Amino acid sequence: MTRVLRINEKNIDHNKIRYAAEQIKKGKLVVFPTETVYGIGASAFDEEACKKIFEVKHRAADNPLIVHICDFRQLQSIAAVSQNLLDKIKKVWPGPVTFVLKKKVLPDIVTAELDTAAVRMPGNKIALELIRESGVPIAAPSANISTFPSATEARHAIKDFNGRVSVIIDGGRSRFGLESTVINLSRKPYTLLRPGAYDLKDLERVFGRIIVPKKINDTKKSGKVLSPGMKYRHYSPNTRLVLFSDNDLISEAVRLAKLNKLRFALLCSEETAVNFRNERVIILGSRKDLGSIAKNLFSSLRKLDTFNVDIGFIESFDEHGIGLPIMNRLIKASVGNIVGHRGDLLKIFNSG
Ligand code: TXA
Ligand code: MG
């Protein structure tokens, strides 16, 4: 049912792209790589095909999709953009940033009936070629079942969607491993809707000041949601994940887990791992290179579920640069299980 096509981004096999594009034109679903994470795509103009994305992902209908384009002609067919804004957007695309813009023509299902559309030109040649060959913009959310970690390797998408999509393009590991930054440009002041792989400071150099809502990485349950997708439990493994907003409490947690006979795994930097040589550890990367942590994050969360443990303990990171989206994903992946002081630990162990 599902064909897995291995394509090398540096030496693209156009026959394979043509085959995948044929499927898009026929209203089928195609999983494809981008520089951020894998996407599960369909023709953005095909309402029925887009409906299937929501079905196979178990995605809530009020959570709109990102529309992926390969050139600026496509942008102007789906969104209203002034010349001034277009000049700025051209400086950052293709790249790992999505813009919410005034919508022109797109089926309501794609935009969840909003009058705006989220658009992105991905910085991955396989994705760009697929869109070009399909001749239409491709609507694609991340290629994971809703609430679970995003796919950063084809095997993740195969696990979630084998038999449910026509093609899965295997383009290797995602370069960034975290989703695009989402910015609302549809009205001023411009605001950050989701931190992501494109550094906010670099975007501000082009677009001027971008408002970062205070609650974007609030560790407490926040009220109003900024972007439809931000209100759901997200990025979570099946295994209970506990995030330490104070990393000094990890040792205490390990001691208590042993006392309570809980099987646990530690997800941490190589620097932290040296203190836990005898424990079951998944190394995320180095604290000195947060990009490495980002790249390994989702695959590590998926790996946790293969360990057969009761609980996963994950370390927190500085919220600067790519640390901001890393922490954003960790906070969402561990909702209700964030440890900032000793009292929180007792709650974790008492609730089993
Ligand atoms: O890197 C990425 O952005 C990946 C790759 C595949 O491109 N895609 C991705 O899509 O992460 P998804 O569906 O997992 O996340 C899209 C986010 C959601 O939080 C959604 O609510 C928001 O973008 N979004 C989409 N359209 C919107 C709109 N019109 N207004 C506000 N937020 C919107
Ligand atoms: Mg997603």
Side-chain angles (χ1 to χ4, degrees), residues 329-349:
R329 308 308 188 262
L330 289 186
I331 289 164
K332 286 179 192 306
S334 60
V335 274
N337 292 290
I338 297 177
V339 172
H341 38 80
R342 229 158 244 283
D344 298 333
L345 265 184
L346 297 179
K347 271 184 237 150
I348 298 282
F349 288 104

Side-chain angles (χ1 to χ4, degrees), residues 42-112:
S43 163
F45 296 144
D46 187 332
E47 199 174 324
E48 282 305 309
C50 291
K51 210 167 129 200
K52 275 191 260 168
I53 295 179
F54 284 86
E55 282 165 14
V56 303
K57 258 196 78 115
H58 306 297
R59 185 181 177 98
D62 65 353
N63 192 5
L65 309 180
I66 293 175
V67 179
H68 297 69
I69 57 169
C70 65
D71 58 34
F72 291 94
R73 189 185 46 83
Q74 283 186 335
L75 172 64
Q76 280 163 318
S77 74
I78 59 176
V81 190
S82 69
Q83 187 59 48
N84 176 38
L85 202 50
L86 185 63
D87 292 341
K88 291 177 178 161
I89 293 175
K90 281 183 176 171
K91 293 189 178 149
V92 297
W93 275 355
V97 54
T98 296
F99 296 117
V100 170
L101 301 161
K102 289 249 150 50
K103 154 179 162 176
K104 271 190 194 162
V105 271
L106 278 171
D108 275 342
I109 188 165
V110 172
T111 59

